[in-house]
Amino acid sequence: MLSAIVAKRVVAGLCQTARRPAVTGMVSSRGYRGEAPDDNKADLIEIPLPPWVEKTDEPTDIKRRRLLYESRKRGMLENCILLSLFAKRYLNTMTDSQLQQYDRLINEPSNDWDIYYWATETHPTPEVYQGEVMDMLKEFTKNRNQEQRLDAPSLEYLEKEYK
């Protein structure tokens, strides 16, 4: 009986230890903090993220392929679908300036929910991300033609576009 009580205390102690932050004192302006109103953030772990750096010497065809991949592989399904369909429709016709805007938009913010909220106009878009591409994405998100958007596009179209 005593060993069962000791075992419960050891397990409880391990569980509490696992919830404590492993790293303290590291703060990043790009770290995700969450928005739960009742959260005292005692278990918050700040993960420093490297700053976004534009790839200025990247060939345009490689940039388009990279952005297509990054549009498909997001942190949340909603953006996987939204951004991959948007990329399928617009990426091949974007100018260099628009490609730069899109690259910054999908790679600089650390929280995919921010991008989703800006695209759906739930939250105001920060000035740094305002531009042609954000306007295109907002309009695309409205889905005025009521297209069925339940999944990311198949990869078959890539064979035609990138050969």
Side-chain angles (χ1 to χ4, degrees):
M1 181 71 168
L2 183 58
S3 62
I5 293 171
V6 171
K8 282 184 183 178
R9 287 186 181 167
V10 169
V11 170
L14 289 174
C15 290
Q16 288 175 349
T17 302
R19 281 186 255 137
R20 289 189 202 129
V23 179
T24 58
M26 298 179 79
V27 179
S28 168
S29 61
R30 293 185 66 220
Y32 176 68
R33 292 195 172 90
E35 298 179 12
D38 297 333
D39 187 3
N40 67 5
K41 303 195 183 347
D43 59 348
L44 179 68
I45 298 174
E46 287 289 337
I47 301 171
L49 299 172
W52 174 76
V53 178
E54 181 184 358
K55 298 176 181 186
T56 56
D57 59 342
E58 184 176 40
T60 304
D61 63 322
I62 301 297
K63 180 177 280 205
R64 281 193 169 100
R65 289 176 188 221
R66 177 178 56 80
L67 291 173
L68 180 64
Y69 174 82
E70 292 170 347
S71 297
R72 294 183 62 85
K73 303 298 180 184
R74 304 306 304 175
M76 54 184 265
L77 180 60
E78 292 85 352
N79 277 359
C80 289
I81 295 170
L82 179 65
L83 294 176
S84 64
L85 290 170
F86 177 79
K88 179 181 179 185
R89 177 162 305 157
Y90 294 109
L91 207 55
N92 280 334
T93 60
M94 285 186 185
T95 64
D96 288 337
S97 172
Q98 290 171 330
L99 288 171
Q100 178 196 15
Q101 289 175 39
Y102 188 62
D103 192 2
R104 182 176 202 162
L105 172 66
I106 68 170
N107 287 303
E108 190 172 45
S110 64
N111 186 349
D112 251 20
W113 280 109
D114 289 336
I115 298 169
Y116 183 79
Y117 289 145
W118 302 332
T120 59
E121 300 183 68
T122 304
H123 292 162
T125 306
E127 191 172 326
V128 69
Y129 302 114
Q130 291 286 10
E132 293 174 83
V133 172
M134 180 52 79
D135 292 342
M136 291 164 58
L137 180 59
K138 287 177 181 179
E139 185 59 34
F140 181 80
T141 303
K142 291 175 184 172
N143 195 13
R144 295 188 193 274
N145 295 332
Q146 298 180 354
E147 300 168 323
Q148 185 175 0
R149 298 180 180 173
L150 302 175
D151 201 2
S154 69
L155 295 175
E156 294 168 0
Y157 74 93
L158 293 176
E159 294 174 10
K160 300 172 199 162
E161 295 179 22
Y162 289 110
K163 281 195 174 192

